Amino acid sequence: MSSLTRTVTYTKAATRLVKANRVTEEQTYIKANRKEFCVLVKVNTPDVPYGSTFRIELLYKITQGPHHEGDETSRITISWGITFHQSTMMKGMIEGGAKQGLKESFDQFTGLLGQRVKPVNQLTVLDKDQTLEALRNDHQSDWELAVGYFCNFTVLSTVFMVVYAFVHIVLCEPNRIQGLEFKGLELPDSFGEFVTCGVIFFNLERVYIMVSRFVQARLSRGNDHGVKAQGEGWVLTVALIEGNKLAPLDCSGFSDPFVVLTCNGKTRTSSVKLQTLDPQWNEILEFDAAEEPPSLLDVEVFDFDGPFGQPTSLGHAEIRFLRHTSDELADMWVPLEGKLAQSFQSKLHLRIFLDNNNGVETIKEYLTKVEKEAGKKINVKSPHRNSTFQKLFSLPPEEFLISDFSCSLKRKLPLQGRLFVSSRIIGFYANLFGHKTRFSFLWEDVEDIHVLPPSLASVGSPILVIVLHKGRGVDARHGAKSQDEEGRLHFCFHSFVSFHSANRTIMALWKTRSLNSDQDGHEKTGWEQHEQDEKCLYEDVTSHLVVEDEKMTNIYSKELPFNVESVMEFFKGGNLEHKVMEKLSCLNYNTTNWEHVTTDSNLFERRLCYKFNRRVSSFGGDVTCTQQKSSITTDHGEGWIVTEAMCLHDVPFGDHFYVQVKYEVRDGRPGWCTCDVYVGVVWLKSCKFEERITRNIIVKFGDRVLEMFELVEREILLAIDGFGL
């Protein structure tokens, strides 16, 4: 096709490494239709080293943008590539030099273009308050959702068939009794009538299932949705909008997805959406304030399968805040990783906002903590140095420089540069005769930091070795000294001006970050978290201690080789109980003392509180229990019955049911005792998952009780032999 072409020749100014050289550009219009303009530019630089072996190609593309505040907008995109006419050993160096040169040129181009045109400020349409308010107000009414859900062929055809059949019944006269019919029983008189009745019944059943799913979806709500962040500092707000193309797991071809967000060791869980592959959440999840800005947000989508099941992962993703601008975080589609997610190209729609509600005071408090750990004064850097640091590593404005040190990077050849440390990253930068080396990694990527003694290779200076977790710091691989057998990258730095000062600062920042993550990972648990809740729940839990044997399932029955009193030691809150429950992955296990119940002198009562480890339940979840025990008399002797009402917090549908457990320990043959355990579920609210959750609890509690009594038996036998408690 004919097109407009022109040739431009100019001389490019000399740099520190390359002398002035002549450049020839062949510019060709490949599209111009008033809505889109494309110009292809072929750049030849024969005077530069190896210039005859390659050619740079640029593509300028200008498209029409949306109207913004009454003004017209356009978008310019510039792509580049390099074509080699012949092979050369310097290919890698040429590509790197071309990329760096083009970046510097287009930085200047951006500045010059900004003097002539005004860039669109995307933040005006992505403001946090406006976005979240729109999200809160964007909820459709139940009637609108019902119309959208039930306007399909199945429902409409069923309604039509039922109305048609009803009108037919009204217009027809009663048939006479024939065949096997009798008064009060009307049977189809032909195969056509029989098939029609079957089709109507089948469609009515499908409509009933759709109605029940819709009602359950409207009743289910997440425990963390709408919970406001507490404290002062960096507040992370995540708006979970929707999912797309999730993997089907049920036989119906759907899933019951929910999302777990993890940041700084804290988790937030969305509600469960029933029978869908494209869930609509529209939920706002906030994390409590932290002293330093978070670095990572882990996102994982699960298929719900009961509170104690191991839910199947539908995909996961890791969002690194430093790799995205605030504009990108404010509205992003996150592709999910994993075999199932990648097979179906699953993704999530999120809107993420990170704010500091305490201003400069948050930074000062964080630096004070680092100073105490390092034992030295740390001064806030100037705005100019902060700006240079942020531009150097492409960081957002909230990232602030804490300190920087002159040092050498130990590789095959030592490279002199500067090591930068901030609240979230460690970065290294060197510029050797125009060849720039730059990399960074997060504090969360660091597994270990240790010091090697001075050596000849380090010119008599101690070596600071930073070891990353397996699979971390892939982008910084070119700066690593080595990679061990486990796949961990090792970075070596030496020749610091003041090694002890640098070492103290780096270790203090690492420890501070690690301690904060650990503390955040252990949110308020134990009695202080449930103190107020238990005042309200105590009477409700106690009311469900009345056990009906016919509604419970026997999950454990065994004769144990010791007496009843030995087994009852487990229920006394002593060392045996705490040791066994700790091995069963119960965190922060606390109990009260047994007290007499005023209404019955033979009845004792106590309360328990603990938190499930993630190994037991993927939701974690806090547990509050009320136990009662009473003595019994059997044919073989004495015994005890311990009944327990367990309430599960922070698990999906946890407010719909209680778990009842009954322990019956009685004397058996001489020197032995018999132990039976029963489990049941009391439902307070109806739920579509009643059968699934009940089955899940009975199976998991059966395995758990079996493991618990094996530990009790082993500890008691060790104690009897003099090696245990």
Side-chain angles (χ1 to χ4, degrees), residues 96-107:
K99 181 178 180 179
Q100 185 63 33
L102 287 172
K103 184 179 184 305
E104 294 176 354
S105 298
F106 282 105
D107 285 343

Side-chain angles (χ1 to χ4, degrees), residues 670-716:
W672 291 63
C673 69
T674 302
C675 182
D676 292 295
V677 183
Y678 303 84
V679 169
V681 180
V682 178
W683 287 95
L684 307 177
K685 304 176 186 177
S686 61
C687 174
K688 180 179 176 62
F689 293 104
E690 284 186 17
E691 183 178 351
R692 181 192 297 184
I693 291 176
T694 302
R695 183 174 61 251
N696 174 265
I697 289 175
I698 291 175
V699 172
K700 296 300 180 181
F701 265 68
D703 298 337
R704 181 176 177 80
V705 169
L706 176 62
E707 183 182 0
M708 181 179 72
F709 276 97
E710 287 178 351
L711 291 171
V712 171
E713 184 177 355
R714 186 175 62 185
E715 293 295 334
I716 293 177

Side-chain angles (χ1 to χ4, degrees), residues 457-468:
S458 63
V459 198
S461 170
I463 302 176
L464 185 68
V465 181
I466 300 178
V467 184
L468 305 189

Side-chain angles (χ1 to χ4, degrees), residues 82 86 93 104 126 148 166 224 256 396 462 516 533 596 616 671 677:
I82 183 169
Q86 61 189 56
M93 188 184 74
E104 294 176 354
L126 296 176
F166 179 77
D224 294 329
D256 304 313
N516 287 337
D533 294 339
H596 279 286
V616 179
V677 183

